[in-house]
Each structure stands twice: as C-alpha cells, then as structure tokens.
Amino acid sequence: MIVKTKKYQLETGTYIKLGLTNILKEQWWVVLIAIAIGCGYFWIASWWWISMAILAYVLYWLFWVIQFAGVTQMEQNKVIFEKMSYEIDSRQILMKLNAQQGMPIKWDLIKKVDLTKEAYILTMSKAQFIYLPFKIFNTENERKFMEAILRRKGFLPEQPTGKIATAEVKK
C-alpha cells in the first residue's frame, strides 16, 4: 500500500522554528559552556565574565538563526518550499512536485522521527527534515498506516499490546 498525501507547502517560518528546535534538542550542552565561562566571575570578580558568556551564547544562536534563514533564501533550496505531495511506502518517501518531477528518499537516510500533536517530523540531519502535518493525509487510515510504517522501521515505540486493565475490588 502507498500513502498518497495532499499537496503541502512548507512555510519558511515553520522551517526556521523546527530547525532551531532541533538544534536546541541536539546541542543543549552549549549552555553549559556559557555557564562555565560565566563561572569565571568566581575566579576574578568582574561582570565581564557573565556579560561575555551571555554574549557568546546569543551569538551562537544568532549564527543558527542566520543559517536557517539563509537556507530559505538560497536559489537551490527554493524547491524545498514549493508545494509538493508525498507518496510513502515501506521502501521510500517520494517527494513529488508534479507527475513528472519527484525525489525519492530512502528510509535509511532518516535518522529520527518526532511525533508532535499536529505532525510527523522526519529528521535527516541538523538542517534537513521532512515535516508532514496530519492535515495532508487524505484519511485517518492513511495516517495510521504511516504510523505503522514508522513503528516497523523502529522510529516510533511499539504500541502496548491490547491487554485489558483490571481493577482490584476490595471486599
């Protein structure tokens, strides 16, 4: 079975927000470096330590904001932000611009999958991911089949078996 989605266009703001969230999850430890620099205050009591630690941390995040915003402006990346549909099966994800143009992505390129309240986020690298909101699936069964594929590939945890919960009755 192949899951065919509706056409969807990834908004640049969504891309930047998801990219920065991914960086925050992967590189949370950078804040520890800033704290370590700030702890220089206890060695030599000067507010420069704290201000430089904050400045370094802000510049780090500014670097990543510029990187993700730059990707949205580059000509060779414009195709990522065009309206496209997806054909998903157990072999690959086919990103289709139209009936003649498409790009297959093998499942082994996907590093992790995040399941949010409104979408699947398939991450390939820090800056490359596929955002599949639930609204692009034609039926609920297609969305469940997509989830089944993700579970079989090991990206999502297995659902608990259908054990019936029983309650103890006190006499």
Side-chain angles (χ1 to χ4, degrees):
M1 183 175 164
I2 296 176
V3 175
K4 293 184 179 183
T5 67
K6 300 173 191 169
K7 283 192 169 260
Y8 174 73
Q9 181 176 6
L10 178 63
E11 299 295 324
T12 57
T14 304
Y15 173 78
I16 293 170
K17 184 181 113 192
L18 291 172
L20 290 174
T21 303
N22 189 34
I23 292 296
L24 182 63
K25 286 180 185 176
E26 283 187 18
Q27 298 186 351
W28 58 269
W29 50 268
V30 173
V31 74
L32 298 176
I33 296 170
I35 291 170
I37 293 170
C39 286
Y41 176 82
F42 299 114
W43 181 45
I44 299 173
S46 173
W47 287 104
W48 281 100
W49 290 104
I50 295 170
S51 60
M52 288 302 119
I54 292 170
L55 179 65
Y57 193 63
V58 167
L59 288 175
Y60 174 79
W61 281 106
L62 185 60
F63 166 79
W64 283 109
V65 169
I66 291 168
Q67 292 296 312
F68 286 111
V71 165
T72 65
Q73 302 302 314
M74 292 176 63
E75 191 62 38
Q76 66 256 33
N77 292 331
K78 291 289 185 192
V79 72
I80 298 170
F81 303 103
E82 289 183 16
K83 220 170 199 185
M84 63 178 72
S85 62
Y86 300 88
E87 290 184 8
I88 304 161
D89 61 22
S90 59
R91 295 175 294 130
Q92 67 187 6
I93 301 166
L94 183 60
M95 300 169 66
K96 293 178 68 172
L97 286 171
N98 53 43
Q100 292 83 25
Q101 293 178 309
M103 182 177 88
I105 297 174
K106 298 286 184 192
W107 282 106
D108 57 347
L109 293 176
I110 306 296
K111 304 285 187 251
K112 70 175 184 167
V113 173
D114 290 320
L115 178 61
T116 65
K117 286 185 244 179
E118 71 258 351
Y120 299 108
I121 303 169
L122 289 68
T123 306
M124 294 177 276
S125 70
K126 289 179 188 174
Q128 292 180 323
F129 50 85
I130 299 172
Y131 181 72
L132 299 172
F134 296 151
K135 67 182 180 183
I136 68 170
F137 293 97
N138 294 311
T139 65
E140 185 65 24
N141 285 338
E142 286 185 347
R143 195 172 79 75
K144 287 180 181 177
F145 182 68
M146 171 70 176
E147 206 161 304
I149 291 173
L150 293 174
R151 287 188 200 291
R152 269 188 254 131
K153 298 286 181 190
F155 293 118
L156 295 177
E158 290 296 321
Q159 282 185 319
T161 56
K163 293 182 181 177
I164 300 172
T166 56
E168 247 181 74
V169 179
K170 293 185 179 179
K171 292 184 181 181

